[in-house]
Amino acid sequence: MAAEEGPTVELRQRKKLKSSENKESVKEEKISDTPVPERAPKHVLFQRFAKIFIGCLAAVTSGMMYALYLSAYHERKFWFSNRQELEREITFQGDSAIYYSYYKDMLKAPSFERGVYELTHNNKTVSLKTINAVQQMSLYPELIASVLYQATGSNEIIEPVYFYIGIVFGLQGIYVTALFVTSWLMSGTWLAGMLTVAWFIINRVDTTRIEYSIPLRENWALPYFACQIAALTGYLKSNLNTYGERFCYLLMSASTYTFMMMWEYSHYLLFLQAISLFLLDSFSLQQSDKVHEVYKIYIFSLFLGYLLQFENSALLVSPLLSLVVALMLAKCLQLNVKKGTFIAKIMKVINFYLVCTLTVTLNIIMKMFVPHKENGHMLKFLEVKFGLNMTKNFTMNWLLCQESLQAPSQDFFLRLTQSSLLPFYILVLIICFLSMMQVIFRRINGKSLKEAITLEDGRIGGRPEIIYHVIHTILLGSLAMVIEGLKYLWTPYVCMLAAFGVCSPELWMTLFKWLRLRTVHPVLLALILSMAVPTIIGLSLWKEFFPRLMTELMELQEFYDPDTVELMTWIKRQAPVAAVFAGSPQLMGAIKLCTGWMVTSLPLYNDDDLLKRNENIYQIYSKRSAEDIYKILTSYKANYLIVEDAICNEVGTMRGCRVKDLLDVANGHVVCEEGDKLTYSKYGRFCHEVKINYSPYVNYFTRVYWNRSYFVYKINTVISFQS
């Protein structure tokens, strides 16, 4: 038996070798049969190089020109170079003042290490409170700016404030360049990039808040997100070569992590992006491997961010991490089923349900085991916003009254329509969406589609990068329709998508395929319209809006606020160094920046203790007794109280949204069911009564300074209280 088994085994082995040899020979035959791509003629290579060179030059020039425009506009608006340092700092208002104040603190520190330590163990900003300012306020931009300022020797050339705002304006230039490149990658022509930039600048009131609040976190972060979007767009393209794919992957990795470090809310925006990629992957648009590579970037960025942001637990309990982990687990559980079959369709539905269930389950489990403070007030706000709950809480109602948290006004849509942006965006979105649905239904029905899409196919909805942008812009637009402040995330990509559409021959060809155009050659007409339509739009925008932009640069405006300047000057000259000031959070931010004195509250809304402090300090504008106000202020070790006439006598705002009205509701001094009728209170409004200087107010508070806008009171040390 043993002798007989030897040859059989040997024979089987030979057969296997033979079959493998046959496979290799077949592969070799296929390789030899495939035509070797001929090298393009020199004039074609020159045309390609010229197109890329001109496009890159136009993109960089657009970014630089926009940055210079912002700098010139800022100079004209505030007459910045002719102001004293104090007057310049007053232009940073609210939370912007806090961010810039820490940049100043870093420059004053004896060393970088000492400066970082003082910020991470900060007890000189808010009374009776030690905070990690770097983590709580995402001060990484200020740390980087201070290092660059000193390392480059700029302290001998330029003032700190110009260096700081120069970096932010430069980032805005990168923002515009990234939008240019994204539109160029999608359409294939840099003409789309030029139109994107034109629409972005014309609609800058709705695309950016850089004109009003320079140091905002979003102004530092969104340029990196725009770079990530551009890299992701290139990465998803089907015809990308290996080197281009590798470059896009590296750029996407770096920009994703940087974006996450710059803004505390960045992971929510990346969560929407991950949903868009998940839907793209679910539609089986042949990009599954690339999409899962992006998921790995999310995982890496989250955990690296967690470690370098002082073990920030908000990243661990973020919905982004739960979704990505769920997607990874679902991929491991996927079965290899032949595409197009009924079982494959059922598995797609099960996979979708599994991902949604796992995401919610993992997020709940993470929140149970990871101690966190993940902006609980945001969830309460959303409940009240959508009518799921009612509250008389001052903070919630005050947030609901903020203009940026309202639904978009009609003026917003009117401005976008006047610049012709909104009509073209809707046209492009409808065509791309319908084409996308057409491609999806064909795949569901098992129809084979060509991998390489040509212009004659008229199937723009088959391109993965287009589908991603359609889904993403719908998600962002849905949020912007609920909260106006989110328009600054959505409108820039409206500019980019609309410009790509009108400049894309594929989009026009898709439309002509549906219309079954016969009279004129559709490809030729598509090419003509993709050049003619953006040219006409550009000329009309130039004629109507360019003179306005030039007029804005020529007009010399003046920021005039002498009352605030006088107040800050008095504090620096007269108040003791150890004094603690109490007042509205917005004013406290300016005091911290301009004087460096300690305050009782800050204009920040990501900390429950600070929110409670703000509500308590705002009681100076309510109908409370002098004794109650005194107890509140002394509990925070305040030495001085500042009453603002603009808040005390506030008029003209939305009905029921004045600070004093919200306080009356929270304190039970208003009966809403009886037409906002005031109930009886034996105490008058504190901010009015304290100005009269009669007992018992004079026993607790002594007026030490006043002007037309501010009244400063020293909080007395009293032994007994009068009723």
Side-chain angles (χ1 to χ4, degrees), residues 472-486:
H472 199 187
T473 191
I474 290 174
L475 292 176
L476 288 176
S478 302
L479 293 176
M481 294 305 103
V482 179
I483 300 176
E484 186 175 11
L486 296 177

Side-chain angles (χ1 to χ4, degrees), residues 393-438:
N393 181 268
F394 169 79
T395 302
M396 288 296 107
N397 289 326
W398 184 81
L399 288 173
L400 284 169
C401 285
Q402 298 303 301
E403 185 179 351
S404 60
L405 298 177
Q406 301 287 324
S409 61
Q410 293 182 353
D411 293 339
F412 167 61
F413 299 105
L414 183 61
R415 287 192 297 268
L416 296 187
T417 304
Q418 288 175 341
S419 64
S420 72
L421 174 60
L422 190 60
F424 283 108
Y425 167 74
I426 293 174
L427 174 66
V428 171
L429 183 63
I430 290 174
I431 294 174
C432 290
F433 181 78
L434 292 178
S435 179
M436 177 187 77
M437 298 306 296
Q438 189 179 29

Side-chain angles (χ1 to χ4, degrees), residues 509-572:
M509 191 63 198
T510 302
L511 180 61
F512 296 153
K513 278 282 187 180
W514 293 342
L515 298 176
R516 297 182 179 179
L517 189 67
R518 302 293 184 188
T519 55
V520 184
H521 196 281
V523 175
L524 179 62
L525 185 59
L527 291 170
I528 293 173
L529 287 179
S530 65
M531 295 290 290
V533 173
T535 302
I536 294 171
I537 295 172
L539 291 174
S540 63
L541 293 177
W542 178 278
K543 182 179 179 181
E544 183 176 355
F545 292 98
F546 183 74
R548 299 184 191 179
L549 297 177
M550 291 298 100
T551 303
E552 289 177 352
L553 290 181
M554 296 302 293
E555 289 181 353
L556 183 61
Q557 304 179 42
E558 187 174 4
F559 181 78
Y560 187 67
D561 191 1
D563 293 343
T564 305
V565 173
E566 291 174 6
L567 173 65
M568 300 303 168
T569 304
W570 180 87
I571 292 174
K572 294 174 75 172

Side-chain angles (χ1 to χ4, degrees), residues 626 682-686 688-701 713 722:
K682 64 178 182 179
Y683 304 110
R685 198 167 300 280
F686 175 82
H688 289 310
E689 300 295 325
V690 74
K691 296 177 185 178
I692 304 176
N693 284 336
Y694 66 84
S695 181
Y697 296 91
V698 292
N699 297 327
Y700 300 107
F701 308 98
Y713 296 88
Q722 299 181 20

Side-chain angles (χ1 to χ4, degrees), residues 324-375:
V324 173
V325 172
L327 289 166
M328 294 290 190
L329 292 175
K331 185 183 180 183
C332 296
L333 298 174
Q334 280 181 354
L335 300 175
N336 292 324
V337 182
K338 187 177 180 181
K339 293 183 179 180
T341 62
F342 177 76
I343 297 176
K345 297 173 186 177
I346 296 296
M347 290 302 298
K348 280 289 181 184
V349 176
I350 294 174
N351 182 68
F352 188 86
Y353 174 77
L354 180 64
V355 168
C356 296
T357 307
L358 276 175
T359 301
V360 175
T361 305
L362 288 172
N363 195 250
I364 293 173
I365 293 173
M366 291 296 288
K367 288 183 177 179
M368 288 173 59
F369 291 98
V370 177
H372 67 285
K373 293 181 180 178
E374 194 227 350
N375 300 319

Side-chain angles (χ1 to χ4, degrees), residues 186 432 460-461 463-471 497 500:
M186 294 169 67
C432 290
I460 197 169
R463 291 170 54 188
E465 69 273 19
I466 305 300
I467 306 307
Y468 157 72
H469 280 287
V470 169
I471 299 172
L497 199 67
F500 136 74

Side-chain angles (χ1 to χ4, degrees), residues 121-132 136 578-582 597-602 607 609-610 613 616-617 630-639:
H121 303 78
N122 188 279
N123 57 2
K124 298 179 181 179
T125 300
V126 184
S127 60
L128 302 178
K129 189 175 178 68
T130 300
I131 59 175
N132 184 342
Q136 189 164 344
V580 178
F581 284 83
W597 265 245
M598 194 176 292
V599 295
T600 56
S601 60
L602 291 175
D607 184 89
D609 180 61
L610 287 176
R613 282 176 178 246
N616 289 337
I617 299 300
Y630 179 82
K631 287 181 178 179
I632 291 172
L633 296 174
T634 53
S635 67
Y636 296 123
K637 300 297 182 183
N639 304 115

